[in-house]
Amino acid sequence: MGDLTLIRHNAHRVDVDGHAMLMHVPSTSLFELDPIARDVFDLSRRHERFSAAIMQQELGTQHSPDSLADCIKSFLSLDILRDAATPDIPRKIVEVTEIPLSTIILNVNTGCNLACTYCYKEDLAIPSKGEKMQFATAKASFELLLKQGYDRDRLNVVFFGGEPLSNMPLIREVVAYAVPRAAEFGKTVDFSLTTNATLLTEEMVDWFNANNFAITVSMDGPKALHDANRKTVGGRGTYDVVAQKVRMLLSRYTARPVGVRVTLTRGVTDVIAIHDHLKYDLGFHEVGFGPATSGPIAVFNLDTDALKAVFEDMKTLGRRYTEAACRGENIGFSNMHQLLTDIAQGTKKAVPCGAGLGMLAVDKDGDLHLCHRFVGSNQPTYGNVDKGIDVPKLAAFIEGAQDRSQFGCKTCRIRSICAGGCYHESYARQGDPFAPVYHYCDLLRDWVDFGLEAYVRIMQANPSFFRNQLEPRMTRPNSGPSISPNSGPNPSPRAATGPAKEAFSA
């Protein structure tokens, strides 16, 4: 054996309640280190390079040569250890030759009956000046989705705005067209929308129910907090009407759980109070939070101190989530739920999201954007629903997004979960969709560590929570005896690439 060195950016250790957990960064696989693996890993951290002689000198009295050799072999297979003379392995860029769409987002109206102070939409207009998408454009959009999603069993159509309910006739037309058209190809279509809820009627709710829509409401919490930013065009707060509509919606809607999306802005940051009001007073199934840090009006954006305070509050709520999960309960905190899903399923991202790859957004003229957030911006478009996707142009973007090494992402321990962060957040804040969201980096690393700790604690107390709450995924066999899961069936299957396996079993 030649001299070995630890590839620090491929291994991240988190100790939780006496368990030495190691995240294999490239695959987001999580392992519990057995005593041999723990000692070898600690040795590799003490010595920049170490040889067989050093290992024998420091560990030879504690472990047999064969067990040490097996451990080294496991670490080498995961590229946690590497021959010190071996140069770093360049990240492979996956060539994009086609765009396998699963989702199309229809921006059905640029108009909105509210004038929320923090809105990022660059094409937003008041209702009288809003421009609605026509059915011919929506139809062509769905035909493009059918063409690009030819190998998918389920397709998704998302209605967005402005306020999508302000173009309800188009939504009805699209559903009436898409369902039988998809059936011709043996496919199912799912529909979803995000709404401010002010235009909801009982008849609409019943129609959405009959068509199995996934509905998300935008709302910012109790009256004083919601009314601070979510106002009518005339400047009046909207909490009273939204709360009334939400109660009606939740009393009638049975097709799917209804979630709520909260935007946290300066002065609207009481995560605990907002969650409890929306979850327990109004009855939403899940509450998700999105901090505003790059909106067009800087006074509403969270500064560094406010952002840190928000993450601390989210961790406080996350501890409540973890305690409840250990009892088999879900308190409906969607940020925590998504974080644990990424960990449990071994999320491995080359790009931050499906924008431009599995998903495209269509504006009123039929032009194709990376996602709904870019509609109306000065960023490039990537074809048109009538002419098709400009695949070479879009492929160049996706391939470029896979390599952010010039920004420092190459050695970040959460690169397979974050992959550089939201394109639009980077564009809005720094003018470059590839620039990492630096204002989030340290906080996101801490948030992922928090999630790792929560995952281990839930797995110890109630592993069935993951089987009941998270989508099961296939697992791969264990990589070797040196990194050992506890015995028993795997209660939280995850898709991990390479030789890595689910870290923790019942």
Side-chain angles (χ1 to χ4, degrees):
M1 179 182 77
D3 286 357
L4 298 177
T5 186
L6 175 67
I7 308 302
R8 296 179 181 273
H9 58 262
N10 282 351
H12 176 56
R13 178 169 164 178
V14 179
D15 291 337
V16 186
D17 301 335
H19 299 278
M21 307 305 299
L22 187 73
M23 184 173 76
H24 180 243
V25 174
S27 65
T28 322
S29 297
L30 189 64
F31 301 93
E32 182 175 14
L33 299 177
D34 66 14
I36 303 172
R38 187 183 307 196
D39 287 347
V40 171
F41 187 76
D42 288 343
L43 173 71
S44 68
R45 289 200 293 186
R46 291 195 301 271
H47 299 277
E48 184 176 347
R49 294 185 177 194
F50 70 94
S51 63
I54 293 175
M55 186 169 64
Q56 180 63 29
Q57 177 183 339
E58 297 200 19
L59 302 179
T61 60
Q62 304 168 48
H63 308 294
S64 71
D66 287 345
S67 62
L68 289 171
D70 286 343
C71 181
I72 293 295
K73 183 178 180 181
S74 292
F75 280 147
L76 287 169
S77 72
L78 294 170
D79 200 30
I80 291 171
L81 290 179
R82 192 185 298 166
D83 188 296
T86 302
D88 198 14
I89 303 171
R91 179 165 185 167
K92 182 180 179 181
I93 303 299
V94 179
E95 184 179 355
V96 178
T97 58
E98 59 179 349
I99 308 298
L101 289 184
S102 65
T103 301
I104 203 82
I105 303 175
L106 303 180
N107 284 259
V108 299
N109 193 357
T110 63
C112 185
N113 60 325
L114 300 191
C116 302
T117 53
Y118 50 67
C119 187
Y120 62 84
K121 293 287 288 180
E122 297 181 46
D123 63 340
L124 199 67
I126 61 174
S128 61
K129 295 184 178 180
E131 297 181 90
K132 296 180 179 180
M133 178 181 287
Q134 300 302 307
F135 177 67
T137 301
K139 177 182 176 182
S141 301
F142 188 73
E143 290 297 324
L144 179 69
L145 177 62
L146 280 175
K147 176 184 176 182
Q148 299 297 137
Y150 63 90
D151 62 346
R152 299 184 184 271
D153 295 329
R154 303 189 77 91
L155 301 173
N156 306 286
V157 176
V158 181
F159 299 100
F160 210 77
E163 170 50 46
L165 299 187
S166 63
N167 197 357
M168 192 64 194
L170 177 64
I171 295 175
R172 293 178 188 272
E173 279 188 285
V174 170
V175 172
Y177 176 81
V179 172
R181 180 67 174 144
E184 295 176 17
F185 297 87
K187 300 180 184 297
T188 302
V189 189
D190 290 317
F191 302 101
S192 62
L193 62 82
T194 299
T195 175
N196 62 38
T198 57
L199 302 179
L200 276 174
T201 65
E202 292 183 352
E203 189 275 334
M204 283 185 191
V205 170
D206 293 344
W207 185 83
F208 289 137
N209 204 45
N211 288 282
N212 199 37
F213 266 63
I215 298 176
T216 300
V217 175
S218 295
M219 193 174 185
D220 287 353
K223 182 177 174 65
L225 298 180
H226 177 92
D227 283 349
N229 294 315
R230 299 193 65 81
K231 303 175 183 293
T232 65
V233 174
R236 298 181 60 182
T238 60
Y239 176 85
D240 290 336
V241 65
V242 173
Q244 178 186 9
K245 298 286 188 175
V246 164
R247 290 189 176 97
M248 180 271 292
L249 168 67
L250 297 178
S251 70
R252 301 177 73 90
Y253 201 76
T254 59
R256 297 188 185 188
V258 178
V260 58
R261 202 269 188 188
V262 178
T263 301
L264 299 173
T265 56
R266 198 170 303 182
V268 184
T269 57
D270 193 342
V271 169
I272 306 298
I274 292 170
H275 171 273
D276 288 354
H277 177 71
L278 296 175
K279 172 67 176 174
Y280 301 118
D281 295 340
L282 291 184
F284 283 105
H285 178 73
E286 280 198 344
V287 183
F289 297 89
T293 62
S294 57
I297 305 177
V299 70
F300 297 109
N301 294 333
L302 299 179
D303 59 21
T304 300
D305 290 339
L307 195 57
K308 288 180 180 177
V310 161
F311 270 80
E312 286 303 314
D313 282 354
M314 290 178 67
K315 287 163 67 175
T316 298
L317 186 57
R319 292 184 190 98
R320 281 175 46 182
Y321 179 103
T322 302
E323 292 168 1
C326 290
R327 301 190 302 268
E329 303 170 13
N330 185 348
I331 68 168
F333 178 21
S334 62
N335 301 73
M336 192 70 181
H337 193 74
Q338 182 59 55
L339 174 62
L340 289 177
T341 299
D342 286 339
I343 294 169
Q345 295 179 350
T347 294
K348 181 188 176 185
K349 295 179 181 176
V351 291
C353 66
L357 191 57
M359 173 183 74
L360 286 171
V362 186
D363 65 23
K364 62 181 178 59
D365 297 319
D367 290 331
L368 299 170
H369 302 254
L370 287 173
C371 76
H372 56 290
R373 287 177 170 267
F374 283 102
V375 173
S377 75
N378 62 9
Q379 286 295 290
T381 56
Y382 297 90
N384 183 278
V385 294
D386 292 321
K387 298 179 181 179
I389 300 171
D390 187 338
V391 175
K393 184 178 180 182
L394 187 53
F397 179 92
I398 299 299
E399 290 169 10
Q402 294 178 53
D403 182 11
R404 300 195 189 188
S405 56
Q406 72 270 34
F407 297 109
C409 295
K410 181 179 179 180
T411 57
C412 178
R413 68 175 185 259
I414 63 169
R415 62 184 183 273
S416 293
I417 294 177
C418 168
C422 172
Y423 299 132
H424 185 269
E425 179 86 8
S426 297
Y427 150 73
R429 190 175 178 96
Q430 302 181 74
D432 180 355
F434 290 164
V437 286
Y438 288 124
H439 55 297
Y440 277 131
C441 288
D442 287 339
L443 293 171
L444 285 177
R445 282 188 282 265
D446 182 63
W447 178 242
V448 171
D449 282 356
F450 177 78
L452 293 172
E453 294 173 9
Y455 176 78
V456 172
R457 290 183 176 126
I458 296 169
M459 286 297 297
Q460 281 288 293
N462 182 23
S464 65
F465 177 81
F466 294 98
R467 182 170 57 244
N468 296 333
Q469 298 292 336
L470 305 181
E471 178 186 358
R473 295 289 178 90
M474 295 293 292
T475 64
R476 294 179 184 269
N478 189 22
S479 60
S482 297
I483 307 176
S484 305
N486 293 341
S487 61
N490 177 4
S492 177
R494 57 192 278 183
T497 60
K501 179 189 179 288
E502 164 70 24
F504 223 85
S505 295

